[in-house]
């Protein structure tokens, strides 16, 4: 079943600081996307390791081992898949989990591959169980089952497919089955980018777009971009609009602050939706714990959107904690809303409950 689009993903209400792709991003993303490891800024550890694995595979004239890329939307999973194919000097074939509707569609994709090509499957956690199961044989042995004949004469035969690399991308490793997860040789969990890395990305993008920007201006955009390159590039384009219409066309810190105010993006990079989440926790539920279903109902958003889009950055930045009984607000959340935290929380060193933050999460 197709996943329901949240209002924040819908075309009529695009959220500037949402990590998902907007239609208007597509041509810009294409122009701004780095094409090689040398152009790619950030994720240094993963980049260094992947460079070695690519070189090793090329030296052996073998396909790269299957790669699983995970992390919140907008961190560069598609970009990395494109870079891997380019660095391997092979073709990239792109699809999405729910689009591969049956085994025949998968067979169609796999038989079109050239030797050592990369098949990129976005949202790989949304493959149907039947398709996922036939993918196992293809991943392990580069063969697929196909049915021949009809009715009583039907039989399965196995045909070879070219050796290939599956690059799977998911926002949620927790939703992947263990057999699929274990078939990937490389597991790459993308982290949010540091403000300095994002500032370098903004400067690179501004150069490509021909927009003058100061170092402080780039850093100010970076700090309001939730650690996410796609958001940084989108915010750069919005700030450029303000600079060109209301200013001289050049971007400095002041232009960024003025533009962010007009867009309701605060100094932490939060928009009204983030602040609503913090207010539900602090004001409506006195700091929590609050179940994610309750937060979703209060916001009128699907639970998935809360977990994939909003929560990861709030967790990583330490505004939110996860406990077995639900989400809790930390001291930082109260302070951000300009509210006084409950005295028990103020007196404690950390949150009132043993909270799971992105640093302590144990899902695979
Ligand atoms: N544009 C988007 N993501 C990027 C990255 N990681 N490095 C350079 N430019 C980018």
């Amino acid at each position: 079943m197709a996943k329901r689009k949240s209002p924040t993903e819908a075309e009529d209400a695009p959220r500037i600081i949402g990590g998902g792709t907007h239609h208007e991003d597509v041509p810009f993303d294409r122009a701004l996307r780095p094409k090689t490891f040398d152009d790619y800024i950030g994720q240094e550890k993963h980049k260094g390791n992947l460079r070695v694995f690519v070189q090793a595979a090329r030296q052996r004239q073998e396909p790269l081992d299957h790669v699983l890329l995970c992390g919140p939307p907008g961190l560069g999973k598609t970009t990395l898949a494109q870079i891997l194919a380019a660095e391997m000097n092979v073709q990239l074939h792109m699809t999405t989990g729910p689009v591969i509707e049956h085994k025949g569609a998968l067979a169609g994709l796999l038989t079109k591959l050239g030797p050592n090509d990369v098949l990129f499957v976005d949202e790989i956690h949304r493959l149907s169980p039947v398709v996922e199961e036939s993918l196992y044989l293809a991943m392990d042995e580069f063969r697929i089952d196909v049915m021949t004949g009809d009715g009583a004469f039907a039989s399965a035969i196995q045909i070879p497919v070219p050796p290939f690399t599956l690059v799977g991308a998911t926002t949620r490793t927790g939703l992947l089955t263990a057999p699929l997860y274990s078939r990937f040789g490389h597991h790459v969990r993308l982290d949010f980018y540091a403000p300095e890395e994002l500032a370098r990305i903004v400067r690179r993008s501004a150069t490509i777009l021909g927009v003058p920007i100061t170092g402080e201006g780039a850093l100010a955009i970076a700090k309001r971009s939730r650690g996410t390159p796609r958001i940084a590039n989108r915010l750069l384009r919005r700030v450029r609009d303000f600079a060109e219409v209301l200013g001289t066309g050049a971007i400095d810190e002041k232009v960024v602050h003025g533009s962010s105010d007009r867009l309701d993006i605060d100094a932490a990079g939060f928009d009204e939706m983030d602040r609503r989440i913090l207010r539900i926790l602090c004001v409506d539920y006195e700091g929590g714990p609050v179940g994610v279903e309750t937060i979703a109902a209060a916001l009128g958003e699907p639970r998935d959107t809360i977990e994939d889009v909003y929560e990861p950055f709030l967790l990583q930045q330490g505004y939110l904690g996860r406990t077995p009984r639900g989400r809790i607000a930390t001291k930082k959340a109260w302070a951000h809303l300009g509210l006084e935290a409950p005295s028990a929380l103020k007196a404690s060193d950390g949150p009132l409950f043993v909270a799971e933050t992105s640093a302590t999460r144990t899902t695979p």
Side-chain angles (χ1 to χ4, degrees):
M1 194 179 67
K3 190 173 147 188
R4 187 157 67 89
K5 264 192 172 180
S6 77
T8 48
E9 289 172 319
E11 291 82 338
D12 56 346
R15 178 182 185 235
I16 302 241
I17 56 170
T21 310
H22 299 173
H23 284 313
E24 54 142 53
D25 289 335
V26 174
F28 290 99
D29 276 358
R30 206 168 290 148
L32 301 180
R33 228 171 227 169
K35 307 227 166 4
T36 61
F37 281 129
D38 284 343
D39 291 339
Y40 190 96
I41 296 161
Q43 311 290 347
E44 296 301 331
K45 209 169 125 204
H46 295 312
K47 199 169 62 178
N49 289 341
L50 288 171
R51 263 186 205 276
V52 173
F53 302 142
V54 164
Q55 195 183 328
R58 285 191 64 161
Q59 280 171 6
R60 292 194 297 263
Q61 299 186 341
E62 282 176 1
L64 182 68
D65 255 4
H66 305 303
V67 183
L68 180 66
L69 304 171
C70 25
L75 294 192
K77 297 187 285 293
T78 308
T79 304
L80 267 182
Q82 289 174 337
I83 291 176
L84 287 173
E87 299 271 357
M88 284 293 296
N89 203 16
V90 296
Q91 290 294 316
L92 175 73
H93 307 251
M94 294 174 81
T95 187
T96 311
V99 168
I100 314 173
E101 283 181 333
H102 46 77
K103 284 166 77 166
L106 179 67
L109 280 169
L110 293 172
T111 49
K112 274 209 270 310
L113 301 176
N116 301 348
D117 275 1
V118 170
L119 175 64
F120 176 64
V121 180
D122 203 3
E123 298 189 61
I124 195 154
H125 60 277
R126 296 179 63 202
L127 282 176
S128 79
V130 176
V131 170
E132 181 178 320
E133 203 164 310
S134 42
L135 193 55
Y136 298 160
L137 187 63
M139 290 174 81
D140 292 344
E141 297 179 30
F142 304 126
R143 285 184 294 132
I144 45 168
D145 274 329
V146 289
M147 294 301 290
T148 60
D150 255 343
F153 301 102
S155 63
I157 55 164
Q158 290 192 347
I159 59 165
V161 294
F164 71 102
T165 301
L166 179 69
V167 177
T170 179
T171 47
R172 306 271 292 282
T173 32
L175 297 183
L176 237 60
T177 64
L180 182 57
Y181 184 86
S182 65
R183 281 180 164 81
F184 288 96
H186 308 297
H187 299 95
V188 178
R189 183 183 283 275
L190 297 181
D191 302 319
F192 287 110
Y193 292 63
E196 295 69 29
E197 291 169 337
L198 277 187
R200 281 170 57 206
I201 292 174
V202 169
R203 287 207 305 274
R204 174 181 179 274
S205 301
T207 305
I208 295 170
L209 295 173
V211 191
I213 189 165
T214 64
E216 291 80 20
L219 191 60
I221 291 180
K223 285 183 178 162
R224 284 162 181 75
S225 299
R226 309 172 68 93
T228 307
R230 185 182 293 148
I231 299 178
N233 284 335
R234 192 183 299 146
L235 190 54
L236 168 66
R237 296 200 307 275
R238 289 294 75 79
V239 175
R240 174 180 68 165
D241 293 342
F242 285 112
E244 286 177 355
V245 175
L246 304 176
T248 62
I251 298 176
D252 61 15
E253 202 179 1
K254 214 167 129 223
V255 172
V256 176
H257 288 173
S259 310
S260 313
D261 286 347
R262 293 176 72 125
L263 296 167
D264 265 338
I265 300 168
D266 66 28
F270 297 162
D271 67 2
E272 186 49 29
M273 205 63 177
D274 301 298
R275 293 188 290 269
R276 274 176 69 194
I277 294 176
L278 297 183
R279 276 199 299 272
I280 289 168
L281 286 171
C282 297
V283 180
D284 301 345
Y285 290 90
E286 296 165 355
V290 188
V292 67
E293 293 291 356
T294 306
I295 300 174
L299 292 172
E301 289 275 352
R303 176 191 176 137
D304 284 0
T305 309
I306 311 290
E307 292 191 305
D308 292 355
V309 179
Y310 301 114
E311 254 188 11
F313 189 66
L314 291 168
L315 271 167
Q316 194 253 4
Q317 294 285 300
Y319 288 83
L320 210 79
R322 283 215 293 211
T323 76
R325 290 168 51 215
R327 279 50 172 170
I328 52 163
T330 62
K331 283 187 224 178
K332 250 177 129 172
W334 291 89
H336 189 77
L337 294 176
L339 298 172
E340 188 152 342
S343 36
L345 181 58
K346 270 198 298 192
S348 72
D349 278 342
L352 269 181
F353 302 84
V354 180
E356 182 197 303
T357 65
S358 56
T360 61
R361 199 173 314 141
T362 51
T363 44

